[in-house]
Amino acid sequence: MMRIAATARGTALQVLHACHSGGAWADASLKALISRSQLSTQDGALASRIVYGVLQNQLLLDYYLGALCTQKLDHLQPPLADILRIGAYQILFLEKVPDRAAVNESVELAKQAGRGQASGLVNAVLRALSRNKQQLPPLPDKDPLRRLSIQYSHPKWLVKRLVSLLGMEETEAFLRENNQVASITIQVNPLKTTQETLAEELQSVGLTVRPHPWLSGCLESSGVGRLSQLEPFTRGDFLVQDAAAALVARVAAPEPGSRIIDACAAPGGKSFALAMAMGDRGEILSCDLHANKSKRIEEGAARLGLQCITTHTADGRQLRPEWVDSADLVVADVPCSGLGVIRKKPDIRYKKSDDLLMMPVVQTAILENVAAYVRPGGSLIYSTCTVLPEENEMVTDSFLASHPDFSRENFFLPEPIGEVAGQITLWPQRHGTDGFYICRMRRKDNS
C-alpha cells in the first residue's frame, strides 16, 4: 500500500486490502489500525461500518459493479476493487453519506494508493452506479442458489450445503440473519453484582440494555460501543459472551468443588462462565496450544476476580498422562470453521470449502485425546461455533461408536428450548444466538 491518509475510509481500505491480499482477519486489523491511526470515535465507527458492510455485501456489490465496469474486478490492480467496493457500499447502503462524497473520496483513495491513472475509471463507475441505483440489474432468479449467494453474499457451495440441511426458505432466513447487526450479550458476574444492579448502572451511563429474552443472568444490548472502557467492565462485573457460548456452562452444570479441564480455552470465556457457575470453588485447568494466549486468560480471570483458574500450555491432541481419569468435567470447545459466527465475523464466509476438509480430523483427534481425562462417571462437553454436521454430530457419532463407555446425556435449557436429547445445534434464525453446537456425554462408572 502507498501512503493512505489516516481517515475512516483510508483505514477501511487498508483493512480490506489486508483481508483480501494478506489473509488478515477484519476484526483484529480494524482494532490495530483504528488505534494506530488515532481515529476519533466517530471515524472509527465509520471505518468499522464500511469494512463490515463491504464484507457482508461483497458478492452483491461485485455483481452490480461488474455490470458497470469494463474490466473484471478481479483483473484490476489492487486495491482498486476494494476502492470501488467502498464507494459502492456507501452509495447503496449509507443514506447519510452523499453520493458525491462517496465518489470523490474513492477517487482520492485511488490517487493515494498510487493508482491515479485509474481514478477516471473509479469516478465513472461510481457515478454510473449513483445514477442507476434505482434501476439496478435484476438478480438471477432462474438459478435460486446463485441468487441467494449473490443477494446475501455467501459462497454458492455454502448456500447449497445449507439448503440441503434447512431447505430454501430457512436457508434464506439464516443468510439474512448473518447480514444483520447482532445484539451484544452481557453475562453478569454473580460473584460481583446482580443483573438488576448492573442493568441500572449501564443505563445510567447511557446504554440501552434489556434482560435477555430467555437466558437468565444475561443482558442484551445493541450499538453499545466499547464496553471494555466502562467502569463496570474494568472492575469485573460482567463479560461479553454470546448466549450460545454461555449455554456451555449451563449444559455442563458443574458442582462447586469440581475439577474441570477446559481443553481449548482461549480467550477464556467458557472457563470464566464455568468458574462463576460453581461459585469460584473448585479447580479449572484452562488450556491452549499457544502460550501467548494464556496471559489473556489470566488477565480476564483477574479482572473478574476468579481464583480457581490456572492456565496451561497444552496441545489438545497430545496426551498429558498426569491428567488421565482426573477430571469431573472436560470441555472441548474445538477449533472449527466458525460458520456459526458469520454475523459477527463476516469474512469467515469467504473461506474456501477445501479449507474446511481437515477440520473434522483435528476435532476428532482432540476429542479422542481429551476424553481420557474424564474420570469414570464424569462428563464430557463437545462444542463448536459452526452449524455443519460434518464438524458436529458426525464427529460425536463417530466418537461414541468407538467409545462404548461414553453415551450422550439429556440436558435442559431455558424455555423455549426445554429438554434436549444429548445434543443441539443453535441457529441465529431460530434462537437469536450464534450458530453453535453443544453435545453432553457421560462416561460410565462401573465401580
Side-chain angles (χ1 to χ4, degrees):
M1 295 290 291
M2 301 298 289
R3 292 188 176 181
I4 304 297
T7 62
R9 294 171 180 85
T11 298
L13 176 58
Q14 292 185 74
V15 171
L16 290 169
H17 181 70
C19 293
H20 292 138
S21 298
W25 289 104
D27 54 351
S29 295
L30 264 170
K31 289 177 184 176
L33 271 172
I34 288 174
S35 176
R36 189 187 313 159
S37 302
Q38 296 184 318
L39 294 185
S40 66
T41 300
Q42 185 176 4
D43 281 347
L46 178 58
S48 299
R49 177 82 181 272
I50 290 173
V51 167
Y52 287 122
V54 167
L55 291 172
Q56 285 176 335
N57 298 280
Q58 184 172 310
L59 299 185
L60 182 63
L61 295 172
D62 288 1
Y63 182 77
Y64 292 139
L65 288 168
L68 298 170
C69 190
T70 56
Q71 301 180 50
K72 291 185 177 180
L73 289 189
D74 55 5
H75 290 176
L76 295 175
Q77 290 181 304
L80 287 173
D82 283 326
I83 291 172
L84 286 170
R85 291 165 181 149
I86 288 171
Y89 175 71
Q90 294 172 84
I91 291 169
L92 297 179
F93 291 94
L94 296 187
E95 296 179 358
K96 294 183 179 180
V97 176
D99 288 4
R100 181 175 64 242
V103 174
N104 292 343
E105 293 288 347
S106 298
V107 169
E108 182 60 28
L109 284 177
K111 294 175 180 177
Q112 292 178 18
R115 303 297 181 212
Q117 74 279 11
S119 60
L121 178 145
V122 171
N123 183 68
V125 170
L126 294 180
R127 286 190 181 280
L129 180 65
S130 176
R131 288 194 305 271
N132 295 286
K133 64 181 179 180
Q134 302 303 326
Q135 296 88 32
L136 294 169
L139 298 178
D141 281 332
K142 292 183 179 180
D143 183 346
L145 295 181
R146 183 166 178 250
R147 178 188 67 79
L148 289 177
S149 173
I150 293 171
Q151 183 174 352
Y152 298 103
S153 292
H154 287 66
K156 192 173 179 180
W157 72 263
L158 179 56
V159 174
K160 183 177 181 180
R161 184 72 184 95
L162 290 167
V163 168
S164 72
L165 295 172
L166 302 173
M168 192 71 69
E169 184 176 341
E170 192 174 8
T171 292
E172 184 163 9
F174 173 77
L175 301 178
R176 185 186 303 114
E177 195 66 31
N178 280 347
N179 284 4
Q180 303 299 314
V181 176
S183 296
I184 303 297
T185 301
I186 296 167
Q187 185 173 358
V188 180
N189 181 355
L191 306 177
K192 297 252 186 175
T193 187
T194 65
Q195 180 172 324
E196 293 75 17
T197 300
L198 179 61
E200 289 177 5
E201 186 162 6
L202 293 177
Q203 288 166 350
S204 72
V205 296
L207 298 185
T208 301
V209 296
R210 55 192 174 276
H212 189 278
W214 50 265
L215 187 57
S216 63
C218 290
L219 301 170
E220 212 173 46
S221 186
S222 56
V224 295
R226 297 183 180 179
L227 284 168
S228 60
Q229 295 180 347
L230 299 177
E231 184 179 345
F233 180 88
T234 303
R235 64 172 183 252
D237 288 357
F238 68 90
L239 68 151
V240 177
Q241 185 177 51
D242 187 78
L247 285 176
V248 170
R250 306 290 176 98
V251 173
E255 295 287 340
S258 295
R259 175 180 166 88
I260 299 173
I261 296 176
D262 188 354
C264 307
K270 295 177 186 65
S271 288
F272 304 153
L274 289 162
M276 292 188 298
M278 60 183 190
D280 200 29
R281 288 174 287 164
E283 180 184 16
I284 299 177
L285 283 62
S286 295
C287 310
D288 198 81
L289 176 61
H290 304 287
N292 62 321
K293 293 185 178 179
S294 293
K295 184 178 180 181
R296 187 174 176 186
I297 298 174
E298 291 166 359
E299 290 172 346
R303 180 181 66 81
L304 293 162
L306 302 172
Q307 305 294 320
C308 69
I309 294 173
T310 58
T311 59
H312 299 264
T313 302
D315 187 338
R317 297 166 293 184
Q318 295 182 1
L319 187 69
R320 296 281 291 262
E322 68 273 25
W323 292 351
V324 171
D325 293 343
S326 72
D328 301 297
L329 168 69
V330 172
V331 175
D333 184 54
V334 297
C336 69
S337 63
L339 295 174
V341 294
I342 288 176
R343 61 185 187 155
K344 295 175 180 173
K345 297 183 177 180
D347 32 357
I348 285 176
R349 73 186 75 193
Y350 301 114
K351 286 184 176 181
K352 295 179 181 178
S353 58
D354 291 348
D355 296 341
L356 310 180
L357 294 178
M358 291 302 295
M359 294 308 309
V361 176
V362 174
Q363 293 155 350
T364 297
I366 293 173
L367 183 58
E368 291 271 352
N369 182 63
V370 303
Y373 303 151
V374 182
R375 66 163 177 80
S379 297
L380 173 61
I381 304 292
Y382 175 90
S383 62
T384 72
C385 57
T386 190
V387 293
L388 297 182
E390 293 90 330
E391 301 180 73
N392 295 337
E393 52 263 46
M394 291 173 66
V395 171
T396 55
D397 283 348
S398 177
F399 170 79
L400 292 170
S402 59
H403 293 77
D405 55 332
F406 282 87
S407 60
R408 288 196 182 98
E409 183 175 55
N410 289 8
F411 53 87
F412 288 87
L413 292 179
E415 295 294 343
I417 299 174
E419 186 173 6
V420 177
Q423 61 181 343
I424 186 172
T425 300
L426 297 154
W427 295 84
Q429 78 281 4
R430 294 180 186 176
H431 307 103
T433 67
D434 289 341
F436 209 87
Y437 172 80
I438 307 173
C439 177
R440 176 178 170 131
M441 295 168 276
R442 175 77 65 178
R443 185 179 176 188
K444 293 178 183 177
D445 185 357
N446 296 318
S447 60

